[in-house]
Amino acid sequence: MRSHFCGLVDESMIGQTVTLCGWADVARNLGGLCFIDLRDHEGIVQIVAEPSEAEGNAEVLAAAAAVGYEDCLRVTGTVRRRASVNTKIRTGQVEVLATRIELLNKAQPLPFHAHENPGEDIRLKYRYLDLRRPEMQRMMRTRIRLVQALRRWLDARGFQDIETPILTKATPEGARDFLVPARLHPGEFYALPQSPQLFKQILMMAGFDRYYQIARCFRDEALRADRQLEFTQLDMEFAWVEERDVQDSVERMIRDVFREVIGVELDDPFPRMTYAEAMRRYGSDKPDLRIELELVDVVELVKDSQFKVFTDWASHADGRVAALRVPGGAAFSRKQIDDYGAHAGKFGAKGLAWIKLGEDGAFSSPIQKFFEPAAFEALATAVGLQKGDIAFFGAGTYKVVSDFMGALRLKVGKDLGLVQEGWKPLWVTDFPMFEWDDEQQRFVALHHPFTAPAVDDIAGLKANARTAVSRGYDMVLNGNEIGGGSIRIHRPDMQRAVFELLGIGAAEAEAKFGFLLDALKYGAPPHGGIAFGIDRIAALMAGTDSIRDVIAFPKTTTAQCLMTGAPSPVPEQQLAEVHVRVVAKTQE
């Protein structure tokens, strides 16, 4: 139907006849002389219809004059050099003199222009039009190149692409499963996989050694800019490995892929930091190192003050009092300070204390009266306060303070333009094995229940569960966790012990994970792996804050597809076939 792509017509084709297909990006009728910017997925080329005595030219001019925005066209013509060069497009040296213009499909008036950026609801409702926009084409093609580069890298190094089931067993541990009723087994359900975790471990036991999969995964959880109900990850697993074997290999892969796809050179090697250090310095297990601000622990400097909020938490076994110095922050108004307090409140803060040091060297602070003068100056000195600065203080449990002070650090850094240009990768290692859940009164796995502890000692693990360190690791880039993995448990006795610590008894473990426990009995090799978020990496490469911009058909934050109307009701007959009855929603 066409001989060339619009965006690939160049000077080497001058004098040739070409046939192009695309949409009318712009149509200009100058009264007998018509210009059409014809667009396909490769770009835009200028079409010209001009008066001449050639046979059929009147029909060409009439067709060109009738072209409207986003009409679908086929154009045949001769490539010639442009009189006025357009340096903004790849085809800007040439144009096509039309000898035939065919209207393949007339476009009705559109809800938005391809060069506009309308509200997201409109974009998602008319996603097929949104995806035509050059900016969306650019971002989606970045994702495509990313996946292609990953596959090439892995295939060249002997990794085996193996598909794992989409309909699998429900093993709820973490996010909610999406359930699928089994028509042939009334009252029973499949689950859509949250990840291929157990299958890829079993593949290691089956002797496949190096596995990968570009896997679709599903989690029934709240949505946000970097999270969707269904997402794509690069899933990898290695047999006969320790942490550095996995980390060094995938670090090379990410460096090579960033260089190939967007021409970026990442650090070699990536810096490394333990989870404990990341939380202490940045209040986050995925710190954005482009912001140089750091937290400072001040428990020892405030425990003898008269400020009860500080002293209570300074004496608490799990307490933390931390400060964040903000250069130039003494200029903040009271409203700005209150706004930062409200932001920290979203992450658990009950309030923020603060100290300003003016350009005149005078302190201003609501907590100054609770300190002896020397102690107050020592506190200001310890946090590095200089003239013109402000320091914010937070107190509470270690985790809560880390969370809200880490969030405050990010917001202040962005608001004040303290985010450096470039790319800052990082390995975060030595994660805790467990977290204590006060609501459920039990331990939960920080990564997942199949992560190996750092010490291969069951008795020691049980005795020191609160402080146990795992063999988990995350790859972080510019404050985003782009990959997470671990060395796995490969012995059935250790796996049973971890289940027990997580409150999963022997009967429940057998019912949910019996197939895994059986597989571990038969010479399972030491193994480990990692999974990378394709959507998140693509968004970073494309320069967008939302993964929805690099997913062809994403859901809204209310978990809906505005284009298709999903989710939607299902007829009673169809529900009956799968032995399901809908219970009417009760009024709250």
Side-chain angles (χ1 to χ4, degrees):
M1 193 169 191
R2 61 185 170 190
S3 63
H4 297 81
F5 294 113
C6 298
L8 300 184
V9 177
D10 61 23
E11 293 173 276
S12 69
M13 301 176 191
I14 290 176
Q16 293 184 26
T17 297
V18 297
T19 298
L20 310 173
C21 293
W23 290 277
D25 192 76
V26 175
R28 304 182 298 279
N29 184 349
L30 305 183
L33 179 65
C34 297
F35 295 92
I36 302 166
D37 286 351
L38 193 65
R39 185 189 74 245
D40 65 12
H41 75 283
E42 289 288 358
I44 288 175
V45 67
Q46 179 170 279
I47 308 296
V48 182
E50 62 184 20
S52 79
E53 296 182 359
E55 185 179 348
N57 183 251
E59 289 83 356
V60 172
L61 281 171
V67 168
Y69 176 56
E70 290 299 293
D71 283 355
C72 188
L73 307 175
R74 180 164 67 171
V75 176
T76 299
T78 304
V79 181
R80 70 182 188 185
R81 192 175 299 279
R82 282 181 66 153
S84 91
V85 172
N86 183 351
T87 59
K88 295 181 180 179
I89 58 175
R90 184 166 46 178
T91 63
Q93 299 283 343
V94 296
E95 62 189 13
V96 175
L97 178 62
T99 56
R100 185 179 183 188
I101 297 176
E102 300 173 70
L103 177 63
L104 301 177
N105 203 347
K106 184 70 178 175
Q108 298 300 310
L110 272 64
F112 59 87
H113 194 284
H115 296 281
E116 294 175 347
N117 188 12
E120 189 171 58
D121 283 357
I122 293 292
R123 290 175 54 198
L124 294 181
K125 181 176 180 179
Y126 300 97
R127 189 61 165 179
Y128 38 87
L129 299 178
D130 186 40
L131 289 172
R132 284 189 201 172
R133 296 192 302 122
E135 180 63 5
M136 288 301 298
Q137 288 274 317
R138 180 191 69 79
M139 290 193 284
M140 288 301 301
R141 286 160 76 86
T142 298
R143 180 196 179 104
I144 292 165
R145 290 198 304 274
L146 165 64
V147 173
Q148 291 171 336
L150 289 169
R151 286 194 183 279
R152 280 194 297 270
W153 197 95
L154 292 161
D155 292 342
R157 288 158 180 80
F159 283 81
Q160 300 166 94
D161 182 0
I162 304 175
E163 295 177 344
T164 55
I166 291 294
L167 295 176
T168 184
K169 182 181 177 68
T171 54
E173 196 58 45
R176 290 187 187 90
D177 286 325
F178 277 102
L179 300 177
V180 180
R183 182 179 61 84
L184 299 178
H185 301 275
E188 297 183 352
F189 296 82
Y190 301 104
L192 303 182
Q194 295 187 31
S195 84
Q197 181 62 45
L198 297 183
F199 289 105
K200 69 178 181 178
Q201 288 189 238
I202 287 173
L203 285 170
M204 297 303 99
M205 301 165 200
F208 286 95
D209 203 88
R210 293 291 186 273
Y211 144 95
Y212 87 92
Q213 182 182 185
I214 307 293
R216 295 292 285 172
C217 303
F218 307 85
R219 294 180 186 173
D220 189 2
E221 58 187 358
L223 278 71
R224 58 189 189 211
D226 65 347
R227 185 171 292 173
Q228 286 275 298
L229 300 178
E230 50 183 315
F231 57 96
T232 307
Q233 66 185 37
L234 167 61
D235 205 56
M236 302 174 67
E237 199 76 6
F238 306 65
W240 319 104
V241 289
E242 295 181 333
E243 290 91 327
R244 287 304 290 257
D245 298 316
V246 177
Q247 294 165 11
D248 291 348
S249 179
V250 300
E251 182 180 316
R252 284 193 296 274
M253 177 186 74
I254 292 297
R255 246 192 323 269
D256 290 348
V257 166
F258 265 75
R259 182 185 305 115
E260 177 181 343
V261 176
I262 59 172
V264 163
E265 292 288 342
L266 298 178
D267 291 348
D268 183 7
F270 291 1
R272 310 175 71 80
M273 186 180 297
T274 66
Y275 170 89
E277 182 183 358
M279 297 302 287
R280 176 176 56 81
R281 294 173 60 187
Y282 303 106
S284 172
D285 59 2
K286 48 180 185 295
D288 189 342
L289 300 185
R290 295 174 302 165
I291 301 172
E292 294 186 343
L293 305 179
E294 294 192 22
L295 306 184
V296 178
D297 285 311
V298 294
V299 164
E300 293 301 316
L301 293 165
V302 302
K303 64 182 181 180
D304 295 325
S305 73
Q306 301 301 309
F307 190 45
K308 193 172 187 301
V309 174
F310 283 179
T311 55
D312 284 353
W313 287 109
S315 60
H316 193 283
D318 189 37
R320 183 177 194 187
V321 184
L324 176 70
R325 181 183 74 89
V326 180
F332 288 164
S333 67
R334 187 55 192 263
K335 182 182 184 304
Q336 286 176 296
I337 293 173
D338 290 344
D339 287 346
Y340 283 124
H343 180 76
K346 297 175 185 177
F347 299 87
K350 302 298 184 185
L352 285 179
W354 51 271
I355 300 174
K356 283 184 179 182
L357 180 57
E359 295 290 353
D360 59 358
F363 288 112
S364 171
S365 171
I367 63 171
Q368 185 172 4
K369 61 188 176 183
F370 297 104
F371 288 81
E372 294 295 329
F376 189 77
E377 289 202 17
L379 177 62
T381 300
V383 302
L385 209 60
Q386 300 177 23
K387 290 180 179 180
D389 293 348
I390 190 172
F392 290 108
F393 295 82
T397 64
Y398 197 92
K399 184 177 187 311
V400 170
V401 171
S402 299
D403 287 347
F404 72 71
M405 293 297 283
L408 178 66
R409 171 183 173 270
L410 290 178
K411 181 164 179 57
V412 166
K414 291 173 182 176
D415 288 351
L416 298 186
L418 302 177
V419 183
Q420 300 171 355
E421 294 293 326
W423 301 86
K424 292 287 187 179
L426 174 71
W427 280 111
V428 178
T429 65
D430 302 319
F431 280 79
M433 188 76 183
F434 308 108
E435 283 185 313
W436 180 255
D437 188 312
D438 283 325
E439 187 175 324
Q440 300 183 57
Q441 286 294 294
R442 70 176 183 94
F443 287 115
V444 294
L446 194 69
H447 268 76
H448 54 60
F450 319 108
T451 297
V455 178
D456 190 17
D457 172 14
I458 291 176
L461 178 65
K462 289 182 175 180
N464 301 285
R466 287 185 180 272
T467 58
V469 173
S470 78
R471 299 179 72 180
Y473 38 82
D474 284 356
M475 184 184 288
V476 176
L477 183 62
N478 289 4
N480 297 271
E481 178 211 328
I482 62 170
S486 68
I487 299 300
R488 323 302 188 188
I489 297 168
H490 70 279
R491 291 197 344 252
D493 57 343
M494 177 61 80
Q495 187 64 78
R496 289 185 184 277
V498 169
F499 284 155
E500 183 182 334
L501 283 165
L502 294 171
I504 302 172
E508 185 183 0
E510 192 62 38
K512 290 181 176 178
F513 306 108
F515 63 98
L516 173 68
L517 293 168
D518 283 345
L520 291 173
K521 296 175 185 175
Y522 299 108
H527 59 285
I530 193 167
F532 288 96
I534 295 290
D535 310 306
R536 198 168 294 173
I537 296 174
L540 285 168
M541 286 182 163
T544 177
D545 292 330
S546 174
I547 62 171
R548 290 192 288 274
D549 288 335
V550 292
I551 298 173
F553 302 104
K555 305 291 188 293
T556 66
T557 53
T558 56
Q560 295 173 294
C561 175
L562 298 182
M563 185 182 74
T564 64
S568 59
V570 172
E572 289 289 340
Q573 181 180 353
Q574 191 173 352
L575 290 173
E577 289 175 351
V578 293
H579 319 288
V580 168
R581 179 169 58 89
V582 174
V583 177
K585 182 179 179 181
T586 58
Q587 295 294 323
E588 295 182 3

